[in-house]
Amino acid sequence: MRRVSVVGNSGSGKSTLGKALAARLGVPFVELDAIHHLPGWQPIDVTEFRKKVGEITEGDGWVIDGNYSAVRDLVWSRADTVIWFDLPRRTVIRQVLWRTIRRGVTREELWNGNRERLTSLFRLDPEVSLLRWSWTRHQVYRDRYARAAAERKDLDFIRIGSRKDADRLIN
């Protein structure tokens, strides 16, 4: 395990697991959100996104966190392992709720000057509300990665269904 793609729902714990795993393996950790989201939450041009991710995946080792279909082929063509964070929906929603509140109150910068807003909790548009995004995408990601795990015999898939599973993987 030297080139790892960490996928799953927003708020499931991908970044926390990815950082810990990268430290354990002694390889760089890359959050695709940090590349994709330019200042003002503007998305990066797809061609530029693919170029940057392509350069990263040329490395001998890395842990990349993210679900972007625009670069999945690049990441998975070089990955040896996919870690699929598949926590129950209720757990993900609880984690997203508390994380959004913490980030909103502390005004924590995420990437490129972007910050989550507390008011997003009350929005119904999943493009604006991470809570709503996580709710609506949960089954989409579950179906996508279950199918990929069954079909992609060239990759080792590790499904993480609980915090205990994540802790066991790191230890």
Side-chain angles (χ1 to χ4, degrees):
M1 188 184 314
R2 294 287 301 159
R3 293 179 311 276
V4 182
S5 172
V6 182
V7 297
N9 203 351
S10 299
S12 60
K14 296 184 309 293
S15 298
T16 301
L17 174 72
K19 288 174 189 172
L21 184 60
R24 179 97 174 173
L25 296 174
V27 299
F29 172 71
V30 178
E31 248 181 310
L32 292 179
D33 281 340
I35 299 169
H36 183 265
H37 295 293
L38 300 175
W41 293 105
Q42 292 302 307
I44 192 170
D45 173 73
V46 173
T47 302
E48 184 64 19
F49 190 33
R50 288 184 60 80
K51 179 180 178 228
K52 288 181 180 220
V53 173
E55 290 169 357
I56 292 164
T57 60
E58 292 291 320
D60 290 334
W62 37 260
V63 175
I64 295 178
D65 153 20
N67 297 297
Y68 290 90
S69 58
V71 295
R72 186 176 311 117
D73 63 318
L74 297 173
V75 175
W76 285 14
S77 70
R78 294 274 301 146
D80 53 50
T81 306
V82 174
I83 297 175
W84 166 28
F85 226 126
D86 184 32
L87 298 182
R89 180 181 272 156
R90 68 183 176 281
T91 303
V92 170
I93 296 303
R94 184 181 67 245
Q95 291 176 177
V96 169
L97 177 64
W98 287 115
R99 186 181 75 181
T100 300
I101 291 170
R102 178 182 50 81
R103 286 177 173 175
V105 168
T106 65
R107 303 292 298 140
E108 176 184 340
E109 181 178 332
L110 301 177
W111 320 278
N112 303 312
N114 297 316
R115 291 173 168 77
E116 283 188 62
R117 294 183 179 159
L118 282 175
T119 56
S120 73
L121 287 173
F122 307 104
R123 306 293 294 273
L124 296 179
D125 181 355
E127 297 295 325
V128 177
S129 170
L130 188 56
L131 188 66
R132 185 75 172 149
W133 176 269
S134 295
W135 181 269
T136 60
R137 301 300 292 177
H138 191 271
Q139 193 62 46
V140 171
Y141 290 135
R142 180 166 277 171
D143 294 345
R144 174 184 298 158
Y145 298 123
R147 189 171 45 257
E151 294 172 357
R152 295 290 304 258
K153 302 304 180 195
D154 58 318
L155 292 166
D156 289 330
F157 269 81
I158 300 170
R159 181 185 168 272
I160 302 292
S162 69
R163 286 267 152 233
K164 287 182 183 177
D165 288 348
D167 292 342
R168 277 193 292 272
L169 177 70
I170 296 301
N171 296 323

